[in-house]
Amino acid sequence: MQQNCNRQVAAVKALLGFAHQVGYTRFNVGPLLKLKKAPRKLAQRIMPEVEIHLLIRATAGSRHPQRDRALFETGYYGGLRVSELASLTWDEIIPRENGEAQLALIGKGDKPRHVLLPADIAARLTALRCGASPKASVFGIKEREINYLIKRTAKRAGVNEAASAHWFRHAHASHAIDNGAPITLVSQTLGHADLKTTSVYTHARPNESSSRFLKKR
Protein backbone atom coordinates (compact mmCIF):
# COMPACT_ATOMS: atom_id res chain seq x y z
CA MET A 1 0.00 0.00 0.00
CA GLN A 2 2.71 2.47 1.02
CA GLN A 3 4.83 1.58 -2.01
CA ASN A 4 1.91 2.27 -4.37
CA CYS A 5 1.24 5.57 -2.60
CA ASN A 6 4.85 6.61 -3.04
CA ARG A 7 4.72 5.76 -6.74
CA GLN A 8 1.68 8.02 -7.17
CA VAL A 9 3.31 10.87 -5.27
CA ALA A 10 6.50 10.47 -7.31
CA ALA A 11 4.50 10.62 -10.53
CA VAL A 12 2.79 13.84 -9.41
CA LYS A 13 6.14 15.35 -8.39
CA ALA A 14 7.59 14.51 -11.81
CA LEU A 15 4.56 16.05 -13.58
CA LEU A 16 4.78 19.25 -11.56
CA GLY A 17 8.50 19.50 -12.23
CA PHE A 18 7.98 19.04 -15.97
CA ALA A 19 5.15 21.62 -16.03
CA HIS A 20 7.44 24.20 -14.43
CA GLN A 21 10.34 23.29 -16.72
CA VAL A 22 8.32 23.95 -19.89
CA GLY A 23 6.88 27.18 -18.49
CA TYR A 24 3.34 25.98 -17.87
CA THR A 25 3.51 26.95 -14.19
CA ARG A 26 5.36 29.79 -12.48
CA PHE A 27 6.47 27.70 -9.54
CA ASN A 28 7.43 24.07 -8.98
CA VAL A 29 5.56 22.90 -5.91
CA GLY A 30 6.71 19.31 -6.40
CA PRO A 31 9.47 19.50 -3.75
CA LEU A 32 6.77 20.26 -1.17
CA LEU A 33 5.35 16.77 -1.65
CA LYS A 34 7.18 14.28 0.54
CA LEU A 35 7.48 10.55 0.05
CA LYS A 36 6.75 8.39 3.06
CA LYS A 37 9.80 6.66 4.47
CA ALA A 38 9.66 2.89 4.42
CA PRO A 39 9.93 1.28 7.86
CA ARG A 40 13.34 -0.15 8.68
CA LYS A 41 13.37 -3.93 8.47
CA LEU A 42 17.00 -4.52 9.34
CA ALA A 43 16.20 -6.73 12.32
CA GLN A 44 14.26 -9.09 10.05
CA ARG A 45 17.33 -9.49 7.85
CA ILE A 46 19.74 -10.55 10.57
CA MET A 47 19.95 -14.33 10.66
CA PRO A 48 20.85 -16.06 13.94
CA GLU A 49 24.32 -17.60 14.02
CA VAL A 50 22.89 -21.12 13.96
CA GLU A 51 21.02 -20.37 10.71
CA ILE A 52 24.13 -18.91 9.09
CA HIS A 53 26.03 -22.11 9.85
CA LEU A 54 23.12 -24.27 8.67
CA LEU A 55 23.16 -22.32 5.42
CA ILE A 56 26.91 -22.81 5.00
CA ARG A 57 26.66 -26.54 5.75
CA ALA A 58 23.83 -26.92 3.24
CA THR A 59 26.27 -26.11 0.42
CA ALA A 60 27.36 -29.75 0.72
CA GLY A 61 24.29 -30.61 -1.33
CA SER A 62 24.94 -28.15 -4.15
CA ARG A 63 26.40 -28.81 -7.59
CA HIS A 64 29.64 -27.03 -6.63
CA PRO A 65 29.97 -27.67 -2.89
CA GLN A 66 33.58 -26.49 -2.43
CA ARG A 67 33.05 -23.29 -4.38
CA ASP A 68 29.71 -22.52 -2.78
CA ARG A 69 30.97 -23.07 0.75
CA ALA A 70 33.97 -20.83 0.11
CA LEU A 71 31.67 -18.22 -1.42
CA PHE A 72 29.30 -18.19 1.57
CA GLU A 73 32.12 -18.17 4.10
CA THR A 74 33.89 -15.33 2.32
CA GLY A 75 30.66 -13.34 2.22
CA TYR A 76 29.97 -13.89 5.92
CA TYR A 77 33.43 -13.83 7.51
CA GLY A 78 34.65 -11.05 5.21
CA GLY A 79 31.44 -9.04 5.35
CA LEU A 80 31.65 -8.50 1.59
CA ARG A 81 29.03 -6.88 -0.61
CA VAL A 82 27.62 -9.06 -3.38
CA SER A 83 29.41 -6.89 -5.96
CA GLU A 84 32.70 -7.52 -4.15
CA LEU A 85 32.08 -11.26 -4.12
CA ALA A 86 31.27 -11.31 -7.83
CA SER A 87 34.28 -9.19 -8.82
CA LEU A 88 36.87 -10.77 -6.48
CA THR A 89 39.99 -11.87 -8.37
CA TRP A 90 42.90 -14.02 -7.25
CA ASP A 91 45.39 -11.16 -7.17
CA GLU A 92 43.20 -9.51 -4.51
CA ILE A 93 43.82 -12.41 -2.12
CA ILE A 94 47.07 -11.98 -0.20
CA PRO A 95 48.27 -14.90 1.98
CA ARG A 96 49.47 -14.02 5.48
CA GLU A 97 52.25 -15.80 7.37
CA ASN A 98 49.80 -17.05 10.01
CA GLY A 99 47.61 -18.73 7.38
CA GLU A 100 45.00 -15.98 7.20
CA ALA A 101 44.16 -14.30 3.91
CA GLN A 102 44.04 -10.56 3.37
CA LEU A 103 41.52 -9.36 0.81
CA ALA A 104 42.42 -6.13 -0.97
CA LEU A 105 39.05 -4.75 -2.02
CA ILE A 106 37.75 -1.75 -3.90
CA GLY A 107 34.40 -1.10 -2.31
CA LYS A 108 31.51 1.30 -2.65
CA GLY A 109 32.57 4.69 -3.98
CA ASP A 110 35.86 3.19 -5.19
CA LYS A 111 37.16 3.17 -1.62
CA PRO A 112 39.94 0.62 -0.99
CA ARG A 113 39.87 -1.49 2.13
CA HIS A 114 41.51 -4.64 3.43
CA VAL A 115 39.82 -7.38 5.43
CA LEU A 116 41.09 -10.63 6.89
CA LEU A 117 39.74 -14.14 6.58
CA PRO A 118 40.50 -16.77 9.26
CA ALA A 119 43.09 -19.38 8.31
CA ASP A 120 40.68 -22.30 7.77
CA ILE A 121 38.37 -20.15 5.63
CA ALA A 122 41.38 -18.88 3.69
CA ALA A 123 42.60 -22.44 3.06
CA ARG A 124 39.26 -23.52 1.57
CA LEU A 125 39.15 -20.39 -0.56
CA THR A 126 42.67 -20.68 -2.01
CA ALA A 127 42.14 -24.40 -2.69
CA LEU A 128 39.75 -23.35 -5.47
CA ARG A 129 42.43 -21.68 -7.56
CA CYS A 130 43.83 -24.70 -9.43
CA GLY A 131 46.28 -22.64 -11.52
CA ALA A 132 43.88 -19.82 -12.42
CA SER A 133 45.47 -16.56 -13.58
CA PRO A 134 45.81 -13.65 -11.12
CA LYS A 135 43.08 -11.64 -12.84
CA ALA A 136 40.64 -14.54 -13.06
CA SER A 137 37.38 -14.37 -11.13
CA VAL A 138 37.56 -16.37 -7.90
CA PHE A 139 33.97 -17.63 -7.96
CA GLY A 140 33.06 -17.14 -11.62
CA ILE A 141 29.42 -16.19 -11.05
CA LYS A 142 27.53 -12.90 -11.27
CA GLU A 143 25.75 -10.97 -8.54
CA ARG A 144 22.29 -12.18 -9.52
CA GLU A 145 23.48 -15.79 -9.61
CA ILE A 146 25.03 -15.44 -6.16
CA ASN A 147 21.78 -14.28 -4.58
CA TYR A 148 19.82 -16.97 -6.42
CA LEU A 149 22.28 -19.58 -5.13
CA ILE A 150 21.88 -18.31 -1.56
CA LYS A 151 18.08 -18.46 -1.76
CA ARG A 152 18.16 -21.97 -3.24
CA THR A 153 20.54 -23.15 -0.53
CA ALA A 154 18.46 -21.46 2.17
CA LYS A 155 15.44 -23.45 1.03
CA ARG A 156 17.45 -26.68 1.25
CA ALA A 157 18.73 -25.69 4.71
CA GLY A 158 15.25 -24.87 5.98
CA VAL A 159 16.07 -21.24 6.84
CA ASN A 160 14.63 -17.95 5.60
CA GLU A 161 14.48 -18.14 1.80
CA ALA A 162 14.57 -14.35 1.53
CA ALA A 163 18.28 -14.51 2.44
CA SER A 164 20.77 -12.76 0.19
CA ALA A 165 24.45 -11.88 0.16
CA HIS A 166 23.65 -8.63 1.94
CA TRP A 167 22.17 -10.64 4.79
CA PHE A 168 25.66 -12.07 5.31
CA ARG A 169 26.92 -8.50 5.87
CA HIS A 170 24.10 -7.78 8.33
CA ALA A 171 24.86 -11.03 10.15
CA HIS A 172 28.60 -10.32 10.22
CA ALA A 173 28.07 -6.93 11.84
CA SER A 174 25.48 -8.11 14.35
CA HIS A 175 27.25 -11.32 15.38
CA ALA A 176 30.69 -9.70 15.64
CA ILE A 177 29.37 -6.92 17.88
CA ASP A 178 27.45 -9.45 20.00
CA ASN A 179 30.69 -11.39 20.44
CA GLY A 180 32.62 -8.34 21.63
CA ALA A 181 34.07 -6.75 18.48
CA PRO A 182 34.46 -2.97 18.75
CA ILE A 183 31.94 -1.11 16.62
CA THR A 184 34.74 0.89 14.99
CA LEU A 185 36.47 -2.33 13.91
CA VAL A 186 33.26 -3.70 12.43
CA SER A 187 32.73 -0.42 10.57
CA GLN A 188 36.28 -0.62 9.23
CA THR A 189 35.93 -4.24 8.11
CA LEU A 190 32.65 -3.66 6.31
CA GLY A 191 33.82 -0.42 4.69
CA HIS A 192 31.05 1.78 6.00
CA ALA A 193 31.12 5.46 5.03
CA ASP A 194 31.55 6.69 8.62
CA LEU A 195 35.10 5.41 9.02
CA LYS A 196 37.34 7.60 11.16
CA THR A 197 40.16 9.37 9.39
CA THR A 198 42.77 7.55 11.48
CA SER A 199 41.44 4.19 10.36
CA VAL A 200 43.07 4.81 6.96
CA TYR A 201 46.41 3.82 8.49
CA THR A 202 45.14 0.39 9.45
CA HIS A 203 43.84 -0.44 5.98
CA ALA A 204 47.13 -1.10 4.22
CA ARG A 205 48.03 -4.07 6.43
CA PRO A 206 45.45 -4.74 9.15
CA ASN A 207 46.39 -6.70 12.23
CA GLU A 208 42.80 -6.99 13.39
CA SER A 209 39.52 -7.77 11.68
CA SER A 210 36.02 -8.28 13.05
CA SER A 211 36.05 -11.66 11.26
CA ARG A 212 38.13 -12.94 14.18
CA PHE A 213 35.20 -12.41 16.52
CA LEU A 214 32.88 -14.78 14.63
CA LYS A 215 32.44 -18.33 15.85
CA LYS A 216 33.36 -21.31 13.66
CA ARG A 217 31.67 -24.68 13.84
Side-chain angles (χ1 to χ4, degrees):
M1 180 70 72
Q2 179 174 302
Q3 186 176 10
N4 290 335
C5 179
N6 276 343
R7 287 197 187 116
Q8 294 169 359
V9 173
V12 173
K13 286 167 67 72
L15 178 61
L16 292 172
F18 177 75
H20 174 65
Q21 185 178 359
V22 300
Y24 189 78
T25 59
R26 294 180 60 189
F27 304 101
N28 179 14
V29 297
L32 299 177
L33 300 176
K34 303 297 182 182
L35 299 176
K36 292 184 178 180
K37 293 184 178 180
R40 294 181 64 88
K41 297 182 178 180
L42 179 59
Q44 299 176 19
R45 299 173 183 174
I46 297 176
M47 301 178 74
E49 285 184 273
V50 64
E51 291 192 3
I52 286 290
H53 293 292
L54 285 173
L55 187 54
I56 292 173
R57 288 176 182 175
T59 58
S62 70
R63 294 177 59 187
H64 306 282
Q66 288 79 21
R67 181 203 67 182
D68 295 349
R69 176 167 182 167
L71 171 66
F72 287 17
E73 289 181 328
T74 302
Y76 174 58
Y77 287 94
L80 273 63
R81 298 178 176 90
V82 65
S83 58
E84 295 166 347
L85 284 169
S87 63
L88 187 66
T89 54
W90 288 110
D91 61 347
E92 294 174 328
I93 302 175
I94 306 168
R96 300 287 292 265
E97 293 177 358
N98 61 359
E100 293 179 328
Q102 177 178 322
L103 305 184
L105 306 171
I106 301 296
K108 195 173 183 179
D110 292 330
K111 293 181 180 179
R113 81 178 191 281
H114 294 253
V115 300
L116 298 177
L117 293 180
D120 54 342
I121 309 298
R124 283 191 285 273
L125 177 62
T126 55
L128 299 175
R129 186 164 184 176
C130 297
S133 67
K135 291 296 183 182
S137 170
V138 173
F139 300 112
I141 54 177
K142 299 178 180 178
E143 295 179 27
R144 187 173 180 179
E145 295 173 308
I146 290 173
N147 281 325
Y148 179 70
L149 173 63
I150 293 171
K151 295 180 189 304
R152 190 169 65 235
T153 308
K155 183 177 181 179
R156 186 165 60 247
V159 301
N160 195 331
E161 295 177 35
S164 68
H166 206 68
W167 285 37
F168 285 147
R169 275 174 62 83
H170 290 319
H172 177 116
S174 177
H175 300 167
I177 290 171
D178 288 346
N179 290 324
I183 293 177
T184 52
L185 180 58
V186 175
S187 178
Q188 171 188 307
T189 299
L190 269 61
H192 288 158
D194 59 345
L195 290 173
K196 304 298 182 182
T197 303
T198 52
S199 68
V200 173
Y201 299 101
T202 67
H203 286 176
R205 187 168 175 80
N207 290 315
E208 275 295 351
S209 173
S210 51
S211 64
R212 289 175 171 169
F213 290 82
L214 303 179
K215 296 177 181 178
K216 296 188 290 294
R217 300 192 180 188

